[in-house]
Amino acid sequence: MSEILIDIAHADKVYESGETSFFALRDLSLQVRRGEFVAIVGSSGSGKSTLMNLIGCLDKPTRGTYRLAGHDVSTLDDVGLATIRNEYLAFVFQGFHLLARTSALENVELPLVYRGMKADERKERALHALRTVGLADRTQHAPSQLSGGQQQRVAVARALAGDPVLLLADEPTGNLDSRTTADILGLLQWLNEEKGLTILLVTHDPEVAAHTTRIVTVRDGQIASDAPNTPQRAEMQVRADAALVPIKRDGSGRASGLRSFMAKSYVAVSLGVRALVRNRLRGALTILGILIGIAAVVAMTTIGAGAKARVEEQMAALGVNMLIVFPGQMMGGGARSAAGGGATLTEADSVAIEQEIPAVVGVAPQITAMSQVVAGANNTSTRVTGTTPSYFIVRDWGIDRGALFDENDLHRRNKVCVVGKTVADTLFPEQDAVGGHIRAGRMPCTIIGVLRSKGQSSFGQDQDDIILVPLTTFRANLERAVGDSVQQISISAADRTLTDHVQKSVSALLRQRHRLRIDQDDDFTVRNLEELARSFDQQRQTITTLLLAVASIALFVGGIGVMNIMLVSVTERTREIGIRRAIGARASDVLAQFLVEAVILCSVGGLSGLGVGVGISAILAAVTDWKVVVQPQSALIAVGVSSIIGLVFGFFPARNAARLDPITALRHE
């Protein structure tokens, strides 16, 4: 006597509807031994489908017990029921329940993926099962490319591949013609007789039930009759004689945790991509929202980085570790003059700064005046600055050709000058300016050198539109200052880290030299270019933050679109979810599937947005000559942010999918 496989004792299944209760099963007891081929027969509403759901671990009894192969199924949680369905049971449904746009081979493999089987063994078993049912030449065909009988054979192959203990066939011939019905029934008989597979066939058709060895009739949720039967014979069109190797249930055939995860991930990604391809327009419109947001983020970070680099270049062009002292902030008549006003700085101040502050490597007093400059038939209006040779050290300004004036020129008041590139190109467009003679106001001057080009400053001023002459020469010919006063003093600190220290030291020294009391304000202003650069950077960061806030709104709207599309997808694929749960997928597997699809959707949008953002930045750079810096982390930002959006906004629809009741999902039209 074979062992008892199914043991249901005094089972009730009660459905609540408001204040009323409906008994789908009432005090039902049933035992099925291994190797039996049992038909469960009954009219619509008799309870046979509820009984099959109970036996198939898609549902649990309200009261009573159900033991399957020794396991008390009535006490298992959702994960335990999913494990039983995957490792011990197999389903063949009336509607075939194959995943659309998925090959026959992949459909057969899917339960083995959820079981965690190694890839090579999984594929071998799936191919073997398809050969067993006579579909060796249809492994890569999608369900839409197969006839009804062939689809049902794929469903049988899917059931066989997992080496089930029990096969549940729910109206397996309901959608088939008589010839195909006989073929499927013959295949089930062969599996029962030759392979010893226990089969429960649920049907309302007595002719189908006549092919089984035992007929159990269900009426009003109870067993009305239970009798052995001499089965009618059904001939198969295809001779199935392959033998599948039994699966060891000790876990030895499982892939490692990582490989199992990778296998599930591969299937999830593959099906996710197919879902996107299947709904191209809808997916493209959803991706557009993410694309716009990511493109804006990438463009803002790229342009912001370019702005920062440009400011740094311009600050470097002004001078190395430079501070500038202006006369000003002097109280007079109850009013405070602006920086640069008054005559409070002198050449003696610059000498004192250079001699008394060790951290200083260069000090250059300056006087500047606008002057009309003539060279032959050409003329221009430009800045003429009188200064000392230290100016070139402080401003880190080298020569392009020719030479710089030196201390000898300063002492002798030589009428020599060094000009910027703009002045040289304007006054000497067709010849070298070095050695040329110009007149600045009333002062004749010989050009001894042309400065290296520095371009525009951060204030938009052309730094190359300038003429530099020795300070003594300037005073003798173009005097615009009172006594030995100067308009500004440029200072170079020995190191960038010392600029704050030098600034404080200069302020203290000048207050002492100008004999200012504690209660008096400074009559000068010391500008630290580091502070100016930080100020520009803060402004840049503020603007970038505001623009990123706008971009984040676009991302949020895109995320809402993703959530909406995924909710629609869950509704459209409810039956698919039911199929997955029936073949052994856990709720976590369904959750992961839809999360992966949401992440794929958003990642495509993120990568597209990355390309568009970089493209916008490149166009802006080409049109406006704005410096653009494409940072490698932009790609990480695009993929990372879009993936997070997919996880966050895809979680709710994915959770809804995972929480669907398997029975309800399978019945969904």
Side-chain angles (χ1 to χ4, degrees):
M1 183 71 66
S2 58
E3 66 174 302
I4 295 175
L5 180 63
I6 297 172
D7 187 3
I8 301 175
H10 307 291
D12 291 345
K13 184 60 186 178
V14 182
Y15 293 102
E16 304 290 342
S17 179
E19 297 181 356
T20 61
S21 299
F22 168 70
F23 278 81
L25 298 178
R26 186 190 297 271
D27 194 29
L28 185 145
S29 296
L30 176 67
Q31 288 186 337
V32 176
R33 296 183 178 278
R34 285 184 183 271
E36 287 194 273
F37 187 2
V38 182
I40 300 178
V41 182
S43 60
S44 178
S46 64
K48 66 180 186 302
S49 295
T50 302
L51 177 58
M52 190 206 72
N53 292 333
L54 186 74
I55 295 172
C57 296
L58 295 170
D59 205 351
K60 293 195 294 186
T62 306
R63 285 183 293 273
T65 61
Y66 168 36
R67 301 183 70 84
L68 174 66
H71 298 280
D72 189 352
V73 177
S74 57
T75 63
L76 296 178
D77 58 9
D78 184 75
V79 174
L81 292 174
T83 302
I84 291 293
R85 288 195 298 270
N86 184 259
E87 297 189 1
Y88 289 84
L89 306 178
F91 290 88
V92 177
F93 299 100
Q94 177 180 351
F96 317 137
H97 287 349
L98 303 176
L99 298 187
R101 296 176 177 83
T102 303
S103 69
L105 180 63
E106 290 170 321
N107 267 287
V108 175
E109 278 190 277
L110 193 56
L112 306 179
V113 172
Y114 293 133
R115 188 175 295 195
M117 186 174 290
K118 296 177 183 178
D120 53 351
E121 182 180 354
R122 187 174 68 230
K123 184 175 182 179
E124 181 183 352
R125 293 192 67 84
L127 289 171
H128 203 159
L130 286 167
R131 288 196 298 270
T132 299
V133 299
L135 292 178
D137 58 341
R138 295 288 190 273
T139 58
Q140 299 304 319
H141 287 60
S144 60
Q145 298 172 308
L146 301 173
S147 67
Q150 289 172 329
Q151 289 186 59
Q152 196 63 292
R153 284 180 174 275
V154 173
V156 173
R158 181 176 63 190
L160 294 179
D163 186 26
V165 174
L166 172 65
L167 174 63
L168 296 167
D170 183 15
E171 300 282 5
T173 61
N175 291 337
L176 304 177
D177 57 50
S178 58
R179 183 177 179 182
T180 307
T181 294
D183 188 38
I184 294 298
L185 290 174
L187 178 58
L188 294 179
Q189 286 181 329
W190 178 81
L191 291 172
N192 173 250
E193 295 170 0
E194 299 296 327
K195 305 303 177 185
L197 181 61
T198 306
I199 302 175
L200 258 66
L201 186 151
V202 176
T203 182
H204 66 281
D205 188 347
E207 293 186 6
V208 172
H211 292 78
T212 66
T213 60
R214 176 183 169 190
I215 300 176
V216 176
T217 304
V218 180
R219 184 181 301 117
D220 297 329
Q222 295 179 312
I223 302 295
S225 64
D226 184 350
N229 179 62
T230 301
Q232 296 181 8
R233 306 306 305 171
E235 292 296 328
M236 292 184 293
Q237 297 177 31
V238 178
R239 295 303 303 173
D241 53 7
L244 281 169
V245 177
I247 295 178
K248 296 180 180 180
R249 304 188 191 278
D250 58 1
S252 59
R254 293 179 181 271
S256 64
L258 177 61
R259 288 189 178 183
S260 176
F261 172 77
M262 293 297 291
K264 292 181 181 180
S265 299
Y266 172 78
V267 172
V269 171
S270 175
L271 294 176
V273 170
R274 292 178 192 181
L276 284 178
V277 173
R278 186 167 61 245
N279 301 285
R280 295 182 184 88
L281 180 59
R282 187 172 72 184
L285 293 175
T286 305
I287 287 170
L288 184 61
I290 302 298
L291 184 152
I292 292 172
I294 292 295
V297 170
V298 172
M300 289 307 101
T301 54
T302 301
I303 294 171
K308 182 177 181 180
R310 182 161 187 165
V311 169
E312 290 176 348
E313 286 181 0
Q314 291 173 341
M315 290 297 103
L318 288 175
V320 178
N321 313 325
M322 192 171 74
L323 299 91
I324 302 176
V325 185
F326 298 99
Q329 291 189 340
M330 180 176 62
M331 295 299 295
R336 187 190 305 274
S337 68
T344 61
L345 294 179
T346 65
E347 287 186 58
D349 288 333
S350 67
V351 173
I353 292 171
E354 188 169 20
Q355 292 178 348
E356 298 184 30
I357 302 178
V360 168
V361 294
V363 180
Q366 297 160 233
I367 307 173
T368 300
M370 291 299 298
S371 178
Q372 192 71 21
V373 182
V374 179
N378 300 318
N379 69 88
T380 185
S381 178
T382 186
R383 291 173 293 134
V384 180
T385 296
T387 187
T388 65
S390 294
Y391 179 88
F392 304 108
I393 298 174
V394 173
R395 291 292 306 274
D396 188 29
W397 208 340
I399 198 75
D400 180 58
R401 56 188 183 274
L404 301 172
F405 58 78
D406 54 22
E407 293 291 337
N408 184 57
D409 295 316
L410 184 69
H411 292 149
R412 291 176 176 274
R413 300 180 183 178
N414 291 336
K415 294 180 181 180
V416 294
C417 63
V418 179
V419 300
K421 183 177 184 301
T422 300
V423 174
D425 292 344
T426 302
L427 297 179
F428 299 93
E430 297 179 356
Q431 65 185 82
D432 190 355
V434 177
H437 299 283
I438 62 174
R439 180 176 294 277
R442 294 174 297 171
M443 180 186 72
C445 188
T446 300
I447 299 175
I448 62 172
V450 177
L451 294 166
R452 184 179 66 246
S453 177
K454 282 204 171 190
Q456 285 191 340
S457 70
S458 56
F459 307 102
Q461 184 182 48
D462 184 359
Q463 298 181 89
D464 298 324
D465 190 9
I466 191 172
I467 298 175
L468 298 173
V469 301
L471 181 59
T472 54
T473 305
F474 187 98
R475 288 196 186 280
N477 297 275
L478 296 169
E479 180 63 68
R480 292 291 189 275
V482 179
D484 70 339
S485 64
V486 294
Q487 293 173 347
Q488 73 180 53
I489 300 173
S490 297
I491 305 168
S492 178
D495 188 84
R496 189 169 186 174
T497 60
L498 298 174
T499 53
D500 289 338
H501 168 70
V502 171
Q503 182 177 9
K504 294 176 183 177
S505 299
V506 169
S507 296
L509 178 61
L510 292 179
R511 285 187 63 86
Q512 179 185 1
R513 287 182 55 79
H514 296 181
R515 293 183 173 85
L516 298 176
R517 298 189 305 271
I518 295 178
D519 59 339
Q520 287 182 297
D521 292 329
D522 294 340
D523 61 356
F524 57 87
T525 301
V526 182
R527 289 278 180 84
N528 184 342
L529 293 189
E530 286 291 325
E531 292 180 348
L532 186 60
R534 286 194 292 266
S535 176
F536 279 138
D537 194 49
Q538 288 175 354
Q539 295 176 16
R540 177 193 63 80
Q541 288 180 354
T542 300
I543 295 173
T544 302
T545 300
L546 290 174
L547 293 174
L548 287 176
V550 174
S552 65
I553 293 174
L555 284 174
F556 181 79
V557 173
I560 295 296
V562 171
M563 180 183 291
N564 180 57
I565 290 302
M566 293 308 299
L567 286 171
V568 172
S569 180
V570 169
T571 301
E572 291 178 344
R573 296 162 61 189
T574 299
R575 177 176 287 187
E576 176 190 322
I577 295 168
I579 296 171
R580 292 177 182 275
R581 297 304 307 276
I583 63 177
R586 296 171 173 81
S588 59
D589 294 326
V590 176
L591 176 72
Q593 174 66 53
F594 283 89
L595 275 180
V596 165
E597 292 183 17
V599 170
I600 290 174
L601 195 68
C602 292
S603 295
V604 172
L607 291 173
S608 303
L610 172 63
V612 172
V614 172
I616 291 173
S617 303
I619 292 172
L620 182 63
V623 172
T624 64
D625 195 31
W626 182 267
K627 185 177 179 64
V628 172
V629 178
V630 179
Q631 299 175 312
Q633 56 264 39
S634 295
L636 297 178
I637 291 173
V639 176
V641 171
S642 57
S643 297
I644 290 172
I645 290 173
L647 289 172
V648 171
F649 289 91
F651 179 77
F652 179 71
R655 187 188 64 172
N656 285 357
R659 289 183 173 182
L660 282 175
D661 179 68
I663 299 173
T664 304
L666 281 170
R667 292 173 179 170
H668 184 79
E669 296 296 331

